[in-house]
């Protein structure tokens, strides 16, 4: 299906102020979409109440409105401009909500403005837990058992039917406020009361908690012909129970067999195709039982989301840019891969590196805040690192947190004994990854750590490799350090400062740098090219690493 | 990579050398080098008979993470000749797994090398094309390796299908089914047979050099021409049989090597590709329906696009969206069709399974 030439001007709605859970990723998607539409000769009008964004720079759109994100502002813009279509999927839930509100008031109809890249009914289904559950049951996708309760007694009855552990999710509250896990009978009454009270309509969802299951996210794109591709598969290192925005995540998925992955891929495609009729991006989350490999669908977001920005950078596939083109009528097979410029945009990126995202929290600035991670997202930002191994990527990520960590394990070094650490890491907190490394250094087994944290053993084994290298390094001074070990440390993401700190005797990072330079152990630069080097890339970007 | 691993060496026919660490069996192996960009399903890939004679680079940087499982196989043994990786993992995590990749390779006598800058190596192959290579963790002298490498046969003109075909006939599926498929086994993947059996077919699998007479004794409703390794042009026996099969006027379905053989049986030549297609993300457009499918591919030979386009009796059904290569054909006057890619996938996306439904429908009508 070619471009719809009746669309000559498009309104893009931004995401407004930066809040936890909705930050610059929507600035990124909005800017990409604006550029993508203008490339097609379409006039782009943009509204955002937040001037501290790239998308509101004068060169990004033909016209920028710095107005409050309200229906009145929308009417004013439609009054002043002839706008053919509105693209509301680039500004997160804020933009979608505003679009819906205007839709209910008949504003779009009044000004003869079409909604593109979105299906309002699809948003409703995705947002309403009960509608979502019913749709999933209808199409044969498993979800966690749940019931909607409107009273305390109902809640207790459903809790008994479903069994512990449970999640209580109040209806119509922002960012999971008032919700929480209930591990046993003794906590139920208080949690139910808190949830019902938090909900403006006195309603909660009582849901079976799949704590400890593995969590995965898939990023999809669909065009009007119903072609669907999976752009990226992201694995959460932290199991279910920690908000994905607060989880350390890895791409591509590290511990997923093809059988499991294809199962997930098929289900995600079925979900997206069953959820209304729209062309654009979509994010689907799954939980996997590590024993049976059974899947349940956690949620679906029929829009460009926080994770699509990460997936774009992780794969090189510009999701928002392509999603905008799909919204104006193109099909995927009519578009080119933006990086190779010769191959098709209808494909699934192949990665030959590992991406690790580590969230950044600022609990020191929120005195008194509870630093336990759970249903509500608490991180204020994130770092993304690229390496030719998980060990390299996670160490680079830790070095980029701007919190003085020179690698994995040298931040706020713990004085706890191993039994204390094992107890401490049972609760997900911001520093858990560092404490896991401390535990391994003290000889706690991979099995124990995996059992108490629910983190897949594979990741713990990898961190153990970092520990073995660190222990080896401790035996040497700069003069006695074997070349092979130095090379191995660099390949596993050790920074020069980290090596200097770990080694026996005094030395500085400059000295480590000089030594490795003299040995020819220097950085090489590799491309993010969407295709694992299969095709030549015209506009790739680069990351540094160490090879033999 | 641990400090105790033995050194290993990889030498390419054009003289390029890579140094790494030994993994799997300690020894020496040689074959044609190729790369696979898939990010899941390494065990299915390693056991795919179409990889016979190939030394495989896995582009994905961690291989072995979820160990090996008895059921994730496409044949009973590992078929690749050797394995090259960046990080081949000894430690794995999957509750359903039966063991580690390393044990598995050792038990299957497969020599592997890791710690290789696979990205640089793949870029080299992409530029220079497929060539022979040798991996060793016992002979570390480059001159000696060069001599051993010289003895490795060229893939162009090499007949390998009969070496991986079944030696005895066997049957699968419901014996009372009215739907009978005669399979010509040139190295058939297990899941192709599953896909037929799942759709109710009674399947009899035949050795590569089975005569039409014997195939007909099964009284099949349709014939399936399997995937397999090697150069299709070096298989005159198969081309002759397929020519005879086509005269039977029964439904015929070919996959990969089977696709190339169907083309050859219609006098369309095949050619050795520069470096082949191997991965799980190849975009194919069905030009009959206009819809697209993400496909699994594994081929180093292709059918001549010019000859296909000129052929009065052959129609193109599928095209590759990246390089416009021929992905599917059908005969205009017969119920015979074939695809270059792998609709059974394993590993890979299930987008193209409808082709098995099409074949079954064709046999039912």
């Amino acid at each position: 299906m070619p471009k719809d030439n009746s669309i000559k001007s498009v309104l893009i709605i931004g995401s407004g102020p930066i809040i936890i859970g909705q930050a610059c990723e929507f600035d990124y998607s909005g800017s990409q979409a604006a550029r993508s539409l203008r490339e097609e000769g379409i006039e782009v009008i943009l509204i955002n109440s937040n001037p501290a964004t790239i998308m509101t720079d004068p060169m990004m759109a033909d016209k920028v409105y710095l107005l409050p994100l309200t229906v009145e502002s929308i009417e004013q813009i439609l009054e002043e401009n002839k706008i053919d279509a509105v693209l509301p999927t680039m500004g997160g839930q804020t933009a979608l909500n505003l679009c819906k509100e205007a839709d209910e008031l008949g504003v779009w109809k009044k000004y003869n403005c079409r909604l593109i890249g979105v299906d309002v009914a699809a948003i409703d289904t995705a947002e309403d837990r009960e509608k979502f559950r019913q749709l999933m049951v209808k199409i044969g996708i498993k979800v966690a058992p749940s019931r909607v309760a409107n009273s305390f007694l109902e809640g207790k009855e459903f809790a008994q039917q479903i069994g512990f552990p449970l999640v209580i999710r109040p209806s119509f509250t922002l960012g999971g406020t008032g919700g929480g896990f209930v591990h046993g009978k003794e906590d139920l009454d208080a949690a139910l009361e808190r949830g019902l009270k938090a909900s403006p309509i006195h309603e909660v969802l009582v849901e079976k908690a799949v704590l400890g299951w593995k969590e995965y996210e898939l990023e999809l794109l669909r065009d009007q012909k119903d072609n669907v591709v999976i752009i990226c598969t992201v694995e959460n290192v932290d199991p279910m129970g920690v908000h994905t925005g607060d989880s350390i995540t890895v791409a591509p998925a590290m511990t997923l067999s093809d059988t499991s992955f294809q199962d997930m891929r098929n289900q995600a495609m079925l979900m997206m195709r069953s959820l209304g009729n729209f062309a654009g991006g979509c994010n689907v989350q799954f939980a996997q039982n590590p024993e049976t490999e059974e899947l349940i669908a956690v949620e679906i977001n029929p829009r460009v989301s926080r994770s699509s920005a990460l997936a774009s950078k992780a794969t090189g596939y510009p999701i928002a840019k392509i999603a905008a083109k799909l919204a104006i009528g193109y099909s995927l097979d009519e578009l080119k891969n933006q990086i190779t410029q010769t191959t098709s945009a209808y494909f699934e990126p192949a990665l030959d590196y590992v991406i690790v995202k580590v969230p950044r929290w600022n609990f020191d600035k929120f005195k008194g805040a509870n630093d336990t991670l759970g249903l509500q997202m608490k991180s204020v930002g994130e770092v993304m690192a690229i390496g030719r191994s998980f060990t390299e990527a996670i160490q680079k990520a830790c070095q980029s947190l701007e919190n003085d960590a020179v690698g994995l394990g040298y931040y706020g070094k713990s004085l706890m004994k191993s039994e204390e650490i094992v107890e401490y890491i049972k609760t997900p907190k911001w520093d858990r990854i560092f404490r896991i490394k401390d535990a391994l250094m003290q000889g706690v087994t991979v099995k124990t750590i995996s059992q108490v944290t629910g983190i897949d053993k594979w990741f713990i084994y990898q961190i153990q490799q970092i520990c073995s290298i660190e222990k080896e390094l401790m035996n040497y001074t700069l003069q006695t350090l074997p070349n092979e070990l130095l090379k191995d440390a660099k390949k596993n993401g050790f920074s020069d400062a980290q090596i200097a700190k770990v080694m026996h005797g005094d030395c500085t990072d400059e000295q480590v740098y000089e030594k490795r330079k003299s040995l020819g152990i220097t950085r090489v630069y590799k491309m993010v090219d969407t295709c694992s080097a299969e095709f030549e890339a015209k506009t790739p970007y680069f990351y540094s690493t160490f090879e033999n | 990579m641990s400090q105790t691993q033995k050194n290993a060496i990889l030498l390419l026919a054009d003289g390029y050398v890579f140094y790494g660490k030994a993994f799997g069996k300690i020894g020496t192996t040689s074959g044609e080098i190729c790369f696979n960009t898939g990010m899941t399903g390494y065990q299915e890939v390693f056991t795919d008979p179409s990889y016979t004679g190939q030394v495989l680079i896995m582009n994905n940087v961690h291989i072995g993470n979820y160990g090996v499982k008895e059921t994730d196989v496409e044949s009973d043994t590992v078929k690749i000749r050797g394995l090259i990786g960046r990080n081949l993992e000894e430690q794995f995590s999957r509750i359903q797994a039966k063991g580690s990749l390393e044990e598995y390779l050792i038990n299957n006598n497969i020599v592997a090398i890791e710690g290789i800058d696979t990205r640089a190596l793949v870029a080299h192959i992409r530029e220079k094309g497929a060539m022979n290579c040798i991996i060793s963790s016992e002979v570390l002298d480059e001159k000696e390796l060069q001599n051993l490498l010289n003895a490795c046969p060229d893939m162009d003109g090499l007949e390998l299908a009969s070496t991986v075909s079944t030696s005895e006939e066997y049957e699968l599926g419901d014996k009372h089914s009215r739907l009978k498929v005669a399979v010509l086994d040139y190295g058939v993947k297990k899941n192709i047979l599953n896909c037929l059996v799942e759709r109710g077919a009674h399947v009899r699998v035949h050795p590569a050099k089975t005569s039409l007479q014997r195939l007909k004794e099964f009284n099949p409703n349709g014939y399936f021409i399997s995937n397999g390794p090697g150069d299709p042009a070096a298989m005159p026996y198969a081309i002759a049989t397929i020519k005879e099969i086509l005269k039977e006027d029964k439904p015929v379905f070919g996959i990969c090597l089977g696709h190339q053989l169907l083309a050859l049986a219609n006098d369309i030549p095949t050619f050795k590709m520069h470096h082949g297609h191997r991965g799980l993300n190849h975009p194919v457009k069905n030009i009959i329906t206009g819809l697209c499918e993400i496909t699994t591919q594994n081929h180093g030979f292709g059918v001549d696009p010019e000859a296909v386009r000129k052929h009065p009796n052959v129609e193109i059904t599928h095209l590759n969206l990246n390089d416009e290569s021929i992905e599917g054909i059908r005969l205009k006057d017969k119920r015979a069709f074939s695809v270059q890619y792998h609709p059974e996938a394993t590993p890979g996306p299930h987008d193209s399974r409808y082709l098995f439904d099409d074949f079954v429908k064709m046999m039912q009508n």
Side-chain angles (χ1 to χ4, degrees):
Chain A
M1 236 164 281
K3 182 186 155 196
D4 181 344
N5 286 318
S6 69
I7 302 172
K8 298 201 162 47
S9 55
V10 170
L11 172 68
I12 295 178
I13 308 177
S15 67
I18 286 179
I19 52 173
I20 290 179
Q22 186 166 291
C24 57
E25 49 268 3
F26 295 112
D27 189 17
Y28 175 72
S29 51
S31 309
Q32 272 200 7
R35 201 175 292 156
S36 174
L37 294 176
R38 291 184 82 195
E39 248 174 39
E40 300 293 330
I42 290 172
E43 186 186 14
V44 172
I45 294 101
L46 195 135
I47 174 171
N48 198 352
S49 59
N50 183 0
T53 50
I54 305 292
M55 63 156 83
T56 52
D57 284 358
M59 69 275 266
M60 293 308 294
D62 295 284
K63 220 166 181 183
V64 176
Y65 283 90
L66 284 170
L67 288 175
L69 294 169
T70 60
V71 177
E72 291 73 40
S73 308
I74 298 285
E75 285 222 62
Q76 184 198 329
I77 296 170
L78 294 173
E79 200 65 60
E80 289 172 14
N81 303 274
K82 165 80 189 85
I83 291 174
D84 298 318
V86 56
L87 180 63
T89 47
M90 301 293 161
Q93 203 54 45
T94 307
L96 280 177
N97 287 345
L98 176 58
C99 172
K100 261 178 63 185
E101 205 185 325
D103 190 55
E104 279 154 19
L105 293 167
V107 172
W108 306 120
K109 219 174 201 170
K110 183 178 162 194
Y111 292 92
N112 202 16
C113 179
R114 286 152 58 189
L115 269 69
I116 55 169
V118 73
D119 181 334
V120 175
I123 304 167
D124 280 343
T125 309
E127 281 298 299
D128 183 324
R129 300 292 306 178
E130 184 53 25
K131 278 191 190 164
F132 169 72
R133 193 184 67 81
Q134 283 174 7
L135 175 70
M136 292 305 108
V137 171
K138 195 178 127 201
I139 62 174
I141 304 269
K142 282 190 192 148
V143 285
S146 69
R147 294 287 296 270
V148 174
N150 291 98
S151 72
F152 184 78
L153 277 180
E154 244 184 8
K156 280 200 86 154
E157 193 191 321
F158 296 158
Q160 243 138 37
Q161 284 171 12
I162 293 167
F164 298 105
L166 285 170
V167 198
I168 304 288
R169 298 179 197 271
S171 299
F172 296 99
T173 62
L174 274 177
T177 318
F181 291 106
V182 183
H183 295 275
K185 236 180 178 169
E186 57 288 355
D187 310 323
L188 179 64
D189 291 8
L192 264 177
E193 243 167 69
R194 193 170 56 238
L196 286 165
K197 215 167 165 186
S199 167
I201 59 161
H202 203 67
E203 181 184 285
V204 292
L205 185 81
V206 182
E207 190 183 81
K208 175 99 187 160
V210 284
L211 290 172
W213 285 31
K214 287 156 75 168
E215 190 170 2
Y216 295 92
E217 285 183 83
L218 266 58
E219 291 295 321
L220 291 75
L221 271 179
R222 173 169 72 168
D223 67 20
Q224 291 186 0
K225 289 202 290 196
D226 228 2
N227 289 315
V228 180
V229 283
I230 312 293
I231 303 301
C232 190
T233 313
V234 178
E235 176 163 355
N236 288 10
V237 173
D238 296 290
M240 287 291 289
V242 176
H243 192 289
T244 50
D246 277 350
S247 291
I248 294 174
T249 60
V250 184
M254 288 288 128
T255 67
L256 205 50
S257 71
D258 188 65
T259 328
S260 289
F261 171 61
Q262 298 306 335
D263 191 8
M264 215 175 267
R265 187 179 180 279
N266 291 343
Q267 292 194 27
M269 288 170 91
L270 176 63
M271 285 165 71
M272 190 181 187
R273 285 175 168 150
S274 309
L275 193 73
N277 192 11
F278 65 97
C282 176
N283 156 277
V284 183
Q285 288 169 31
F286 288 102
Q288 187 204 44
N289 179 332
E291 266 167 60
T292 60
E293 300 185 1
E294 166 202 1
L295 295 178
I296 61 165
V298 178
E299 64 178 65
I300 180 164
N301 295 300
R303 58 174 166 86
V304 172
S305 60
R306 182 181 52 252
S307 51
S308 19
L310 181 79
S312 292
K313 289 172 206 157
T315 59
Y317 195 108
I319 294 175
K321 190 174 179 182
I322 299 292
K325 296 220 195 285
L326 301 180
I328 55 166
Y330 282 111
S331 58
L332 282 160
D333 55 300
E334 292 168 336
L335 299 168
K336 286 280 173 229
N337 177 334
Q338 304 283 315
I339 300 259
T340 63
Q341 294 179 5
T342 55
T343 56
S344 177
Y346 175 80
F347 83 112
E348 301 190 344
L351 278 52
D352 59 0
Y353 48 83
V354 178
I355 295 281
V356 174
K357 175 208 87 176
V358 179
R360 173 73 157 95
W361 293 271
N362 256 356
F363 288 114
D364 45 344
K365 286 191 183 161
F366 296 106
K367 291 276 180 252
N370 179 355
D371 67 349
T372 295
L373 307 175
L375 289 178
Q376 196 176 359
M377 181 168 160
K378 294 178 176 176
S379 63
V380 294
E382 60 197 30
V383 298
M384 184 189 102
I386 314 182
R388 289 273 291 162
S389 62
F390 173 78
T391 48
E392 184 187 17
I394 189 131
Q395 293 237 65
K396 279 168 98 173
C398 291
Q399 285 146 13
S400 313
L401 285 168
E402 291 187 351
N403 63 2
D404 304 328
V406 289
L408 180 55
Y410 268 88
Y411 186 66
K413 197 168 164 55
S414 157
L415 298 170
M416 286 185 277
K417 292 201 187 82
S418 59
E419 311 86 72
E420 290 171 298
I421 304 182
V422 170
E423 200 50 41
Y424 183 81
I425 58 176
K426 281 182 181 167
T427 312
K429 288 188 189 288
W430 68 274
D431 62 343
R432 180 153 82 169
I433 192 81
F434 296 101
R435 299 293 85 85
I436 285 173
K437 194 224 155 196
D438 290 341
L440 286 166
M441 288 300 279
Q442 293 193 20
V444 180
T445 64
V446 170
K447 199 175 156 200
T448 303
I449 295 173
S450 177
Q451 258 166 8
V452 300
T453 60
I455 295 175
D456 192 284
K457 273 195 295 191
W458 190 81
F459 296 108
I460 320 275
Y461 282 131
Q462 294 291 314
I463 298 171
Q464 198 176 40
Q465 284 185 28
I466 297 175
C467 295
S468 322
I469 295 172
E470 187 167 323
K471 283 181 182 164
E472 272 286 299
L473 287 169
M474 285 175 185
N475 297 329
Y476 298 98
T477 63
L478 186 66
Q479 287 68 38
T480 59
L481 179 66
N483 300 349
E484 276 299 308
L485 179 59
L486 178 57
K487 195 191 275 175
D488 219 14
K490 292 309 289 181
K491 281 176 83 172
N492 284 282
F494 280 79
S495 66
D496 294 343
Q498 192 179 358
I499 294 170
K501 205 158 182 173
V502 171
M503 271 191 315
H504 196 63
D506 274 344
C507 89
T508 64
D509 50 343
E510 284 86 4
Q511 287 171 308
V512 175
Y513 173 71
E514 288 305 329
K515 168 151 183 155
R516 69 173 175 79
K517 211 173 89 178
S518 70
L519 293 167
I521 305 170
T522 51
R523 277 170 215 287
V524 293
Y525 293 85
K526 298 282 180 196
M527 290 178 195
V528 171
D529 66 354
T530 73
C531 61
S532 273
E534 184 174 8
F535 306 102
E536 202 182 320
K538 298 276 171 24
T539 57
Y541 41 95
F542 295 85
Y543 62 94
S544 71
T545 183
F546 290 85
E547 292 282 4
N548 275 351
Chain B
M1 206 187 328
S2 77
Q3 297 290 308
T4 51
Q5 270 173 292
K6 288 185 88 157
N7 288 326
I9 191 164
L10 162 70
L11 175 69
L12 303 187
D14 67 355
Y16 261 67
V17 188
F18 288 80
Y19 302 93
K21 296 281 178 184
F23 194 85
K25 187 193 166 191
I26 299 300
T28 306
T29 191
S30 61
E32 188 188 59
I33 197 165
C34 65
F35 61 86
N36 184 309
T37 61
M39 296 186 287
T40 52
Y42 51 82
Q43 196 186 352
E44 293 90 327
V45 167
F46 299 164
T47 52
D48 176 352
S50 295
Y51 279 102
T52 303
Q54 307 274 1
V55 172
L56 184 64
I57 310 163
M58 292 302 275
N59 296 32
N60 185 17
V61 284
H62 285 286
I63 298 292
N65 304 7
Y66 53 85
V68 294
K69 190 180 167 205
E70 282 157 333
T71 51
D72 286 353
V73 292
E74 285 301 312
S75 71
D76 295 332
T77 55
V78 175
K79 293 296 190 299
I80 54 169
R81 286 290 292 274
L83 174 65
I84 303 166
R86 173 58 156 80
N87 314 294
L88 302 178
E89 300 297 330
E90 288 166 63
Q91 302 286 6
F92 66 96
S93 170
R94 185 185 190 188
I95 292 172
Q96 297 186 1
K98 277 283 177 292
S100 75
L101 174 64
E102 175 138 53
E103 291 157 15
Y104 188 64
L105 293 180
I106 291 171
N107 293 339
N108 279 276
N109 290 316
I110 304 297
V111 177
I113 183 170
E114 70 145 345
I116 297 295
D117 183 349
T118 45
R119 191 174 165 90
L121 179 58
V122 167
H124 183 72
I125 303 299
R126 179 184 81 206
E127 206 173 295
K128 297 282 158 59
M131 62 182 90
N132 283 343
C133 76
I134 189 162
I135 304 174
S136 187
S137 43
E138 58 186 2
V139 181
L140 299 177
D141 178 72
E142 285 166 37
K143 276 217 181 87
E144 200 181 331
L145 277 179
Q146 185 66 57
N147 292 335
L148 291 168
L149 178 57
N150 293 342
C152 180
D154 197 359
M155 186 63 82
D156 208 357
L158 200 61
E159 199 279 332
L160 291 170
S162 59
T163 68
V164 286
S165 175
T166 179
S167 50
E168 306 273 333
E169 278 173 15
Y170 61 95
E171 292 178 30
L172 294 168
D174 177 9
K175 287 206 160 51
H176 305 292
S177 172
R178 291 171 60 190
L179 205 62
K180 293 170 128 185
V181 180
V183 172
L184 272 172
D185 177 10
Y186 300 124
V188 72
K189 285 173 73 182
K190 273 193 173 170
N191 200 45
I192 291 180
L193 301 175
N194 287 343
C195 284
L196 293 169
V197 169
E198 266 172 16
R199 284 162 180 77
H202 174 202
V203 171
R204 191 164 84 182
V205 185
H206 303 84
K209 294 181 176 166
T210 303
S211 69
L212 177 69
Q213 195 48 45
R214 178 65 195 150
L215 294 172
K216 277 172 77 176
E217 281 166 25
F218 184 55
N219 201 16
N221 304 84
Y223 294 88
F224 179 81
I225 317 166
S226 88
N227 64 296
D231 186 345
M235 299 169 68
Y237 63 90
I239 300 164
T241 310
I242 294 161
K243 279 185 172 164
E244 284 182 69
I245 286 175
L246 288 172
K247 284 183 199 146
E248 293 296 302
D249 212 20
K250 292 258 171 74
V252 178
F253 180 23
I255 288 179
C256 203
L257 181 79
H259 163 77
Q260 295 156 4
L261 291 169
L262 183 67
L264 286 164
N266 283 282
D267 304 315
I268 294 167
T270 54
F271 66 96
K272 174 108 175 72
M273 296 165 80
H274 185 260
H275 57 267
H277 288 165
R278 290 174 189 89
L280 317 180
N281 66 346
H282 290 266
V284 167
K285 185 168 182 169
N286 180 327
I287 55 179
I288 308 296
T289 63
L291 294 176
C292 302
E293 44 207 278
I294 297 290
T295 67
T296 296
Q297 302 212 359
N298 171 21
H299 62 111
F301 291 85
V303 302
D304 182 349
E306 279 313 300
V308 174
R309 288 196 170 88
K310 277 187 202 146
H311 201 290
N313 194 35
V314 173
E315 190 180 1
I316 300 171
T317 55
H318 297 78
L319 276 178
N320 187 304
L321 283 168
N322 283 341
D323 62 6
E324 302 267 294
S325 59
I326 307 291
E327 294 289 359
I329 56 169
R330 69 182 178 196
L331 301 190
K332 289 179 185 167
D333 67 342
K334 294 219 162 60
R335 291 176 293 167
F337 70 107
S338 60
V339 286
Q340 181 60 76
Y341 55 94
H342 286 268
E344 82 288 355
T346 53
H350 300 173
D351 297 8
S352 314
R353 295 260 168 101
Y354 70 91
L355 290 164
F356 290 99
D357 299 330
D358 289 356
F359 182 47
V360 166
K361 265 184 232 143
M362 215 178 248
M363 288 187 289
Q364 282 164 342
N365 288 333

